[in-house]
Amino acid sequence: MQTLYKDLVKHFGGQKLTAAALDVSQSNISGYVSGRWNMSELVAIRAEKVTGGKFKASDLCPSLKEFQHAIA
């Protein structure tokens, strides 16, 4: 998961730019990258939208995968 978050940061060109694109603080981004916490559902959905689907919300947020399986 951490690698995916690092790839997301590379996509935007840094943690501050990623934070601005996702409307969260830079410390949130740092927490995702370091593995201190996972991305919330809302932020993951926002990330999928602003990256044009390059990063899938269900990959960024494990609980969304669980939700997808529950409704399938």
Side-chain angles (χ1 to χ4, degrees):
M1 182 73 68
Q2 292 168 321
T3 301
L4 185 58
Y5 293 143
K6 288 177 185 176
D7 291 344
L8 182 65
V9 169
K10 284 182 188 176
H11 174 82
F12 287 107
Q15 288 191 11
K16 287 183 181 180
L17 294 171
T18 305
L22 301 182
D23 196 26
V24 297
S25 69
Q26 183 275 326
S27 63
N28 278 79
I29 301 299
S30 176
Y32 305 148
V33 171
S34 69
R36 286 190 304 253
W37 50 77
N38 290 321
M39 190 174 279
S40 72
E41 292 87 351
L42 179 62
V43 176
I45 292 167
R46 193 177 297 142
E48 182 171 336
K49 183 177 178 181
V50 300
T51 64
K54 181 176 180 180
F55 294 87
K56 300 295 182 199
S58 59
D59 293 334
L60 294 165
C61 178
S63 65
L64 286 173
K65 278 187 180 175
E66 294 172 20
F67 179 73
Q68 285 179 330
H69 292 308
I71 62 172

